[in-house]
Amino acid sequence: MYKTAALVLVLGLAGVLEALIPRSEGSWGVNLSAPEMIQSFGYPVEVHHVATRDGYILELHRIPYGLSLGGYRDRPVALLYHGLYGSSADWILNKADQALAYIMADEGYDVWLANARGNRYSRAHQTLDPRDIDFWDFSWDEIAEFDLPATIDYVLPTTGARDLFYVGFSMGTTVFFAMLSEHPEYNDKIRAMAALAPVAYQGNARGLVSTVAPFINQLDKKLTSMGVGEIFPNNELTRSWAMKLCDRNSLLAVFCRKILATIGGPNPDELNRDLLATITAHTPAGTSVHSVTHFGQLITSDGFYKFDHGPHGNLRRYGQRQPPSYDLSQVRIPVAIFAGENDYLADPRDVELTERELPNVVQTTTLASFSHMDFTWAVHAYDYVYRHVLDFFWNYRN
C-alpha cells in the first residue's frame, strides 16, 4: 500500500512539474549525437571503433581537418579526452569559436575525440551486455590500463603519425597520469600534454562531492548488491528532461545552474544559459559506479592510489593490504597545467601537489574565477584557456 501511495505521489509531482515547465521549442543539439552536431557545423567527421585487450568496444570521433584548411594531408594529431561524466561531446558543446575540437581542427590539427568505456558511445563489449552488472565492473583504473593505450595505439597507425598532442580534462588527466605511471613507454608516443583541471590528488575537494565522499564505499557496496553498476546514464528520457528543466525559458532552470555550481564550483558569468539544456542533455553521459567511487576514495585520502577494494580485496588483487600509489614522476613529457581558483573538484591546493611531482611542467596557468566545468563550456573558453593551449603546443609542433 505504501509503495503504491508513494508512486502516486511521485507521478502527481511529476505532473505538477510538467504543467509548470513551459513547452520549449527545443534547444539546439539536445537530440543530436556528437557526430551529428559536428556535421551540423559543416565539419567533416568520422566514426571509428577500437577494441581493448579486455573486450570493450570504444567509439572514437574524428575531425580530420577544419573549415579553413580542408583536405587530408600531414597534420599534427591531437587526442582530446573527456571528464568522468563526459564524452566526446565535451569538446563540441560550446559555440564553434569557443569549442576546442573545432578550434584545433581549424588550426591544422587532425582531431580525435575519445570515449571511455561505459559512456553513451562506448557501451559495447565482445561478450558482455551493458544490462549485465559484470559489464560495469571497472573503475578509471581500467580506463587508464586498457582504454587510453588502445586509443593511442589505434590513432597513431591510422594517421601515420609517430606521436600526438594530448588534451585531458579532469578524468582525462587522471587516466593519462595513471597510464604513464604504469606504462612509461607511452611517453615516446606523446609530444606534449595540456592538463585542464587536472585531477590526481583530491583531498581538498569542496562542494557536494566532498560531503558524499566519506560514505562512498558503503554506497558502492549497496548499489552493487542491488545489481546496479551504472550511474548517470544518458538516454532519451534524460535528454528530454534536460530540455524541459534546463531550457533557458524553464522556471526550474535556476536549479540546473545551482546543481552545476554545487558540484563543480560557481562562475555564473561564464555559463552560457542558452546552451544549458544542450550541455545537460549530453552530460552526464554515463559511467560506472566504481569510477565515481574511485574519485570519492581519493577525496578521503592523501594520495593518488589505485582502486581500494578493502584489505582482503587488495591482498588478492595487489598482494598488499593498501592500494598501490601511482608514480607521477613517470610522466616525463612536457605538461602545461590550467587550473581554476573556483574549481571544487580540482582545488588549486591539490593541483599544486600534483605539479610538484610532475617532472616536466613547463607552464602553469591559474584562472581566478574559473570553476571545473568552465574548461569545456565557458563563454570565454578560447580567450582564457584554449589560445594558451595552442600557443603551448605550437612550441612542439616542429
Side-chain angles (χ1 to χ4, degrees):
M1 181 178 71
Y2 294 111
K3 290 182 179 179
T4 302
L7 179 60
V8 171
L9 177 60
V10 169
L11 291 175
L13 288 173
V16 171
L17 289 174
E18 185 83 22
L20 288 173
I21 300 169
R23 293 285 181 180
S24 171
E25 294 301 321
S27 298
W28 174 85
V30 167
N31 293 312
L32 298 180
S33 66
E36 289 170 340
M37 284 193 289
I38 294 169
Q39 286 179 319
S40 73
F41 276 109
Y43 286 82
V45 61
E46 298 173 5
V47 176
H48 295 254
H49 294 94
V50 57
T52 67
R53 286 187 289 113
D54 60 343
Y56 286 82
I57 310 298
L58 311 176
E59 183 167 303
L60 312 179
H61 299 149
R62 180 190 190 188
I63 306 176
Y65 52 87
L67 302 183
S68 58
L69 298 168
Y72 290 83
R73 58 184 179 186
D74 290 338
R75 299 171 182 273
V77 176
L79 175 62
L80 281 54
Y81 217 105
H82 58 80
L84 173 64
Y85 302 122
S87 71
S88 57
D90 279 9
W91 309 103
I92 58 171
L93 290 177
N94 216 329
K95 294 181 178 179
D97 62 351
Q98 298 293 326
L100 185 58
Y102 303 131
I103 292 169
M104 294 194 75
D106 285 332
E107 286 291 326
Y109 288 87
D110 183 349
V111 179
W112 291 74
L113 310 177
N115 283 295
R117 63 182 63 193
N119 82 8
R120 174 182 177 182
Y121 301 103
S122 296
R123 296 173 57 86
H125 191 278
Q126 292 172 343
T127 59
L128 299 175
D129 191 295
R131 292 171 293 186
D132 185 345
I133 193 171
D134 289 341
F135 179 95
W136 301 100
D137 188 17
F138 64 85
S139 78
W140 52 257
D141 277 339
E142 282 72 31
I143 297 173
E145 175 66 25
F146 300 109
D147 292 18
L148 184 49
T151 298
I152 293 172
D153 289 340
Y154 177 87
V155 169
L156 291 181
T158 301
T159 59
R162 290 177 48 251
D163 52 25
L164 55 81
F165 290 94
Y166 185 90
V167 183
F169 165 61
S170 190
M171 186 192 73
T173 68
T174 311
V175 298
F176 184 84
F177 297 149
M179 178 192 71
L180 289 185
S181 171
E182 298 294 288
H183 302 285
E185 66 273 15
Y186 276 83
N187 280 284
D188 295 333
K189 301 183 180 184
I190 313 296
R191 199 175 302 186
M193 178 216 192
L196 313 186
V199 175
Y201 290 97
Q202 234 184 340
N204 291 296
R206 295 169 280 165
L208 179 62
V209 294
S210 65
T211 304
V212 175
F215 312 102
I216 199 69
N217 286 326
Q218 296 94 309
L219 289 171
D220 186 290
K221 291 178 181 178
K222 183 65 175 177
L223 290 171
T224 302
S225 68
M226 296 168 58
V228 178
E230 180 183 15
I231 192 166
F232 304 126
N234 187 286
N235 51 46
E236 289 186 11
L237 178 62
T238 60
R239 292 192 289 274
S240 173
W241 276 99
M243 186 169 65
K244 292 176 180 178
L245 297 177
C246 300
D247 184 85
R248 186 184 182 97
N249 297 319
S250 169
L251 298 177
L252 300 178
V254 64
F255 293 105
C256 292
R257 299 194 295 271
K258 290 291 185 183
I259 290 170
L260 291 176
T262 302
I263 296 173
N267 191 10
D269 292 341
E270 286 298 325
L271 179 62
N272 188 329
R273 299 185 182 189
D274 290 332
L275 292 176
L276 185 57
T278 303
I279 290 168
T280 53
H282 289 270
T283 308
T287 190
S288 71
V289 170
H290 293 335
S291 290
V292 177
T293 298
H294 199 168
F295 280 111
Q297 292 174 349
L298 295 185
I299 292 171
T300 57
S301 74
D302 59 355
F304 182 34
Y305 301 108
K306 294 187 178 183
F307 190 90
D308 189 346
H309 297 270
H312 297 296
N314 291 336
L315 278 171
R316 289 192 301 269
R317 192 174 186 96
Y318 310 123
Q320 59 188 58
R321 295 179 65 83
Q322 297 296 324
S325 297
Y326 285 112
D327 183 3
L328 290 171
S329 70
Q330 296 296 326
V331 184
R332 298 191 298 269
I333 50 96
V335 175
I337 289 177
F338 298 86
E341 289 284 355
N342 280 346
D343 192 333
Y344 282 3
L345 300 177
D347 185 278
R349 292 167 291 181
D350 291 325
V351 174
E352 184 178 356
L353 291 174
T354 301
E355 181 181 356
R356 288 178 189 172
E357 294 190 22
L358 292 170
N360 197 8
V361 175
V362 298
Q363 108 181 37
T364 301
T365 303
T366 302
L367 300 163
S369 62
F370 256 42
S371 67
H372 198 68
M373 282 70 167
D374 289 335
F375 288 94
T376 51
W377 305 335
V379 173
H380 300 101
Y382 174 79
D383 292 332
Y384 294 155
V385 180
Y386 297 156
R387 70 182 180 91
H388 301 293
V389 170
L390 293 172
D391 289 343
F392 167 64
F393 282 165
W394 182 259
N395 296 323
Y396 299 94
R397 281 188 61 162
N398 298 317

